[in-house]
Amino acid sequence: MPEWLVLTLAMLAACAVVVIITLVRHRRAAEDEDPSETPDVIEYMTMWIGVVYAIVLGLAIAGVWEGRSAAQDNVRAEAVALHEVSERVRVYPAEIRDLIRDDVNAYVGHVVTTEWRTMADRDRVTDEGTELLDRLRRDVTDYEPRDDFEAQAYQPLVDQVAAADQARSARAESTGATMPGVVWFGLVAGAVITIGMIFALQIRRTRRELILAGLFSALIAFLLFLIWDFDAPYSRGLAATADPFLRLFPEVRS
């Protein structure tokens, strides 16, 4: 099911729940009940519950957005490190240079096709990608420089391979959902309590109040969906992309 459809259904469901419960309460309310006589303490508590929950939502959104940005930075760092390996190796003999560049291209091609789908579907990296990176590391480190010029390029090449490996490890650690289950429990429970306080204030007097209550519930549903969408950096709507690899290695498109 498309994510935009999930979002639409969630917002409509939130509005429908508020409208249905409000109408049911309105029909069952006593004829002499005055909705304007809501105790001040309830209004005060409702205000602070809304403020606290808004802060929690803001922190959750900031956290998952930071995780998504960090995931994209990991991809960029990995692509740049591999590009540096491919460029710096030009000082090596032709057979070694071509071997290392073939290793880089094979690894990048695997990442942007097979491994990226695996991260989206199974929340993990592939063993084949690990093997391809290990082969690149062996070909870089096993070569013995023949002169000082090659020796000066050797250590930077090893460092760039290590940087690519570190970025890959960070990418592997951020493939799945980052929000703990207890946090989701708090977010959902907070949404229920916050919306429930609407009924404590007896929102059923005018159509305008009913519309505002429905819009408020839809907004909370949208923010929760936004957190869920950002929670898995590589597998949902606004996910990190493989564009850094494709920009630095345009040949892998073919």
Side-chain angles (χ1 to χ4, degrees):
M1 182 181 296
E3 293 187 2
W4 65 267
L5 183 57
V6 175
L7 173 60
T8 302
L9 293 176
M11 295 177 66
L12 291 176
C15 291
V17 169
V18 171
V19 171
I20 292 173
I21 294 179
T22 302
L23 293 177
V24 170
R25 285 197 58 202
H26 180 69
R27 290 185 177 183
R28 293 185 177 181
E31 295 182 357
D32 58 347
E33 182 179 356
D34 186 4
S36 63
E37 295 182 354
T38 301
D40 292 339
V41 65
I42 294 182
E43 294 183 355
Y44 183 78
M45 291 174 58
T46 301
M47 179 189 69
W48 277 108
I49 288 173
V51 170
V52 171
Y53 188 63
I55 294 174
V56 173
L57 279 178
L59 292 175
I61 292 175
V64 294
W65 176 257
E66 182 179 357
R68 190 265 181 196
S69 299
Q72 188 67 63
D73 291 340
N74 292 333
V75 175
R76 187 178 300 107
E78 185 178 2
V80 170
L82 292 171
H83 181 69
E84 286 296 312
V85 171
S86 183
E87 293 298 320
R88 290 172 183 258
V89 79
R90 69 179 184 272
V91 302
Y92 281 8
E95 63 275 11
I96 302 300
R97 179 181 67 241
D98 294 340
L99 175 63
I100 294 177
R101 286 179 173 174
D102 288 342
D103 290 343
V104 172
N105 290 334
Y107 174 75
V108 172
H110 175 76
V111 168
V112 300
T113 54
T114 305
E115 187 163 83
W116 212 264
R117 289 194 298 269
T118 302
M119 289 193 304
D121 298 337
R122 303 180 183 177
D123 295 333
R124 66 176 181 84
V125 296
T126 63
D127 295 335
E128 184 179 355
T130 303
E131 294 174 0
L132 290 172
L133 186 59
D134 289 341
R135 186 176 69 185
L136 171 62
R137 181 187 291 107
R138 288 194 302 270
D139 290 339
V140 170
T141 57
D142 290 352
Y143 177 70
E144 184 177 352
R146 299 180 304 179
D147 52 39
D148 292 339
F149 186 52
E150 292 183 359
Q152 292 175 1
Y154 176 80
Q155 189 58 48
L157 281 171
V158 174
D159 293 341
Q160 291 299 328
V161 173
D165 188 21
Q166 183 178 5
R168 173 183 171 80
S169 298
R171 174 163 60 85
E173 292 174 357
S174 60
T175 52
T178 57
M179 191 74 69
V182 65
V183 177
W184 273 114
F185 174 79
L187 290 174
V188 175
V192 172
I193 294 172
T194 303
I195 296 175
M197 293 304 293
I198 295 177
F199 305 114
L201 284 175
Q202 303 179 13
I203 302 297
R204 61 174 182 270
R205 286 165 285 184
T206 65
R207 181 177 299 178
R208 179 176 59 186
E209 290 177 336
L210 186 60
I211 292 175
L212 289 176
L215 292 177
F216 178 72
S217 303
L219 176 61
I220 291 181
F222 170 75
L223 294 177
L224 290 177
F225 175 85
L226 198 63
I227 296 171
W228 174 82
D229 196 53
F230 287 157
D231 192 27
Y234 296 105
S235 60
R236 292 175 186 155
L238 298 176
T241 66
D243 287 345
F245 286 109
L246 298 177
R247 284 196 300 269
L248 296 175
F249 300 92
E251 62 273 11
V252 301
R253 294 178 181 271
S254 58

